[in-house]
Amino acid sequence: MSDIIVTDKQLSSSAYSAVINLPIEKVDIAEWLFSLPEAEYQRCCPPDHISAGSTTTDDGKRMSINVEMIGKTLMVQHYVAEVATPTLCKMVSTSDAFTPNGRTRVQVIWTLSVKKIDENSCEYTNSVVAHPTQEFLDFIKTHGMPFEEAAGARQRDGGDHNSRETPLFAASIERRALARSQSKAA
């Protein structure tokens, strides 16, 4: 499928941060993301998070598949890793959006990063930016919805979702890092 991404228009952008009470050297975002159990994903933003799993593209790039509700829209995210390191994951998806008016597609860029605060803590940032596809622009036009109204709804709903999942993701990353440290020490 060939989607035309309209990069000069933005549906939404939000970034939230939370503290991880571990040295940055103990954190591995990529390891956490690509080994995240479905039940843990669900705990990171109930009741919005429905399912998650890891796979690869045909050419071997790592992927995270996430199914979640953003407001009244069921999103199936097909995140492909552009960067996957212990301190930074940049994931890009052309996502299926099942809205009350029907199905369309949007691009979502999910950036997970961590930066050092001090020797014992670091700051996790969860950033989400959404761009329309041409299909999305045609979809909202067919339904008589101005772009500004669609973007406003996505900003409201996406920002709310991100604000709730960020501290829970940070806590999950911290738990995973602690468990990995304890298993190495045993």
Side-chain angles (χ1 to χ4, degrees), residues 1-11 82 92-96 105-109 129-137:
M1 187 179 302
S2 176
D3 291 288
I4 298 168
I5 309 300
V6 183
T7 56
D8 63 337
K9 289 188 179 283
Q10 188 171 280
L11 281 168
E82 289 192 355
V92 180
S93 172
T94 302
S95 301
D96 295 293
R105 291 168 64 83
V106 298
Q107 182 196 61
V108 182
I109 302 168
V129 176
H131 295 280
T133 60
Q134 187 58 53
E135 176 186 321
F136 177 86
L137 295 176

Side-chain angles (χ1 to χ4, degrees), residues 166-180:
T166 297
L168 298 173
F169 277 159
S172 178
I173 293 166
E174 183 177 310
R175 284 191 301 276
R176 178 75 179 176
L178 283 169
R180 287 177 60 236

